[in-house]
Amino acid sequence: MQSTKLNAQITAVGMYIPEKILDNKYFEEIVETNDEWIVSRTGIKERRKMENGATSDMAAYAILDLLKSTSVKPEEIDVIIVATVTPDMFFPATACLVQDKIGAKNAWGFDLSAACSGFLFALQTGASLIESGRYKKVIVVGSDKMTSISDYTDRNTCILFGDAASAVLLEPTEDLNMGLIDTLLFTDGSGKDALNMKAGGSLNPASHETVDNKMHYIYQDGKAVFKVAVKGMADISYEVMKKNNLESDDVAYLVPHQANLRIIDATANRMGISKDKVMINIHKYGNTTAATIPLCLTEYYRDGKLKKGDNLILAAFGAGYTWGAAYLKWSID
Ligand code: UT7
């Protein structure tokens, strides 16, 4: 028997933002930096810090926020995919902890590590589970507690990152012109030296030496990453647009990963998209790694700026290197 073809569509969204705000003034007091440098080089004004809880708590809050907007019960969830590079622990997977915290007693799940591209990679993975016909309700949540791996003596990195989580619910549709229509995803491990956390894994297990050498913090060669990110994100966004016969006027919003406003502007320029059609939250939250894209979607949707049928181009670039872009047709009224 020929099975019906299915697309995965987003049917609900949710988010969690910790209360504690770290503004640029805070960083002026702890490292040699200033508001003008941070704003002009990155676009960031504030970011958030999770003070009481871990990545699984933020993910669980975001999913509970999502569930409040639907009639879906936690026990109806089939799969939970947590995109993160700051899991609560090496094992068990953060997805297990989230499953327990939200009472999704019939779900299985796993963590997906693709850094700033984590949400896009997890979205495609979740969509594939839906498209297979085997699963009906898949939660994809991007959650990162970047403050837990930030070195607050390193001005190159500590000003960049913040904590947040945001989730989407994927469900099937027989309308193949709705939901996740196309994705282009890539990895290039030769970029591993430019952006990483060196210790704690099997290569450099935790020791006094790894702690003394600050190897449990984010390391980034900003200039090197900038060069590849700015080209990588712009090219892939343009490519997914052209591959799907979209002109810039057809695109309602570019939804870019929020690492640097200059990278976002370059991507929009390459696509011929004006600033008012680019989702931005970097000024409020900094780089929240796997959470940036779903956070944008959630906030713009709740502000009434998204309507059913809108063509969205999602794009990301991150550690690995990992990068990609997606063509998503918005499916919530
Ligand atoms: O999200 C995953 C992927 N990550 C990215 O996409 C990030 C890509 N990279 C970037 O966004 C940018 O490279 C940064 C925002 C990280 C840095 O901006 P930049 O314009 O590339 O600065 P730079 O690293 O070239 O540094 C320029 C100068 C240096 O001083 P010298 O060597 O010229 O004297 C830095 O030491 O700025 C200095 N600097 C700072 N000055 C004030 C670096 N950080 C700071 C700071 N405040 N916080």
Side-chain angles (χ1 to χ4, degrees):
M1 194 179 80
Q2 182 77 35
S3 60
T4 317
K5 282 205 162 169
L6 298 169
N7 259 15
Q9 60 177 348
I10 294 176
T11 56
V13 290
M15 60 186 270
Y16 175 75
I17 295 294
E19 275 170 29
K20 172 85 176 171
I21 295 175
L22 304 182
D23 59 13
N24 289 348
K25 210 170 162 39
Y26 168 81
F27 288 93
E28 286 179 358
E29 281 157 24
I30 61 166
V31 289
E32 204 183 320
T33 191
N34 57 76
D35 178 63
E36 198 279 326
W37 191 96
I38 301 175
V39 173
S40 64
R41 303 312 290 165
T42 70
I44 302 168
K45 292 180 179 154
E46 293 178 355
R47 38 338 251 141
R48 300 294 175 111
K49 180 176 166 64
M50 181 68 170
E51 293 192 293
N52 301 305
T55 293
S56 68
D57 296 302
M58 295 197 296
Y61 295 148
I63 298 168
L64 292 173
D65 179 54
L66 175 155
L67 290 174
K68 272 197 305 202
S69 69
T70 71
S71 54
V72 175
K73 303 269 172 297
E75 54 271 24
E76 292 176 66
I77 297 168
D78 297 313
V79 187
I80 301 166
I81 308 175
V82 181
T84 188
V85 287
T86 50
D88 288 26
M89 296 177 265
F90 245 22
F91 65 88
T94 308
C96 301
L97 312 174
V98 172
Q99 174 274 330
D100 184 44
K101 283 174 182 170
I102 65 168
K105 59 178 191 237
N106 296 310
W108 63 281
F110 56 94
D111 293 1
L112 189 150
S113 172
C116 295
S117 309
F119 180 76
L120 279 192
F121 280 36
L123 184 67
Q124 174 57 66
T125 306
S128 303
L129 295 172
I130 294 280
E131 287 161 18
S132 75
R134 195 150 182 157
Y135 302 101
K136 302 269 180 291
K137 290 181 171 43
V138 176
I139 292 278
V140 174
V141 56
S143 184
D144 269 304
K145 188 179 172 184
M146 298 305 288
T147 61
S148 68
I149 55 169
S150 294
D151 175 0
Y152 286 93
T153 64
D154 176 14
R155 70 174 183 174
N156 290 293
T157 52
C158 70
I159 55 125
L160 300 173
F161 297 95
D163 304 335
S166 183
V168 302
L169 174 65
L170 296 178
E171 294 187 89
T173 171
E174 288 181 18
D175 181 353
L176 300 184
N177 194 30
M178 192 50 87
L180 187 62
I181 293 173
D182 198 11
T183 55
L184 294 170
L185 302 173
F186 295 94
T187 55
D188 177 3
S190 70
K192 70 183 190 313
D193 295 330
L195 181 49
N196 56 45
M197 189 178 89
K198 293 186 171 53
S202 56
L203 179 64
N204 298 302
S207 66
H208 286 290
E209 196 190 338
T210 61
V211 172
D212 290 345
N213 291 333
K214 301 189 164 201
M215 291 164 73
H216 296 270
Y217 291 128
I218 302 160
Y219 165 80
Q220 176 169 250
D221 177 346
K223 225 186 268 260
V225 178
F226 187 91
K227 253 191 226 156
V228 272
V230 82
K231 182 165 174 5
M233 213 164 93
D235 285 354
I236 199 82
S237 306
Y238 184 77
E239 202 180 324
V240 88
M241 195 173 97
K242 287 293 151 194
K243 187 173 164 229
N244 289 282
N245 300 316
L246 296 169
E247 297 302 325
S248 46
D249 283 349
D250 303 324
V251 177
Y253 283 102
L254 165 66
V255 193
H257 170 56
Q258 313 275 312
N260 188 312
L261 202 50
R262 290 179 289 144
I263 298 176
I264 294 172
D265 286 347
T267 303
N269 278 341
R270 175 98 161 90
M271 296 169 73
I273 286 189
S274 58
K275 278 203 161 112
D276 56 315
K277 296 203 316 188
V278 182
M279 290 194 189
I280 302 287
N281 65 24
I282 190 169
H283 55 298
K284 296 192 285 186
Y285 308 131
N287 184 347
T288 55
T289 305
T292 58
I293 291 176
L295 260 186
C296 278
L297 293 174
T298 305
E299 287 197 321
Y300 277 69
Y301 170 66
R302 288 180 176 175
D303 284 351
K305 292 177 180 158
L306 275 175
K307 56 181 194 307
K308 191 170 178 174
D310 275 350
N311 291 318
L312 308 179
I313 300 292
L314 283 45
F317 190 97
Y321 296 125
T322 56
W323 71 102
Y327 169 28
L328 177 81
K329 219 181 224 310
W330 190 250
S331 36
I332 320 178
D333 268 326

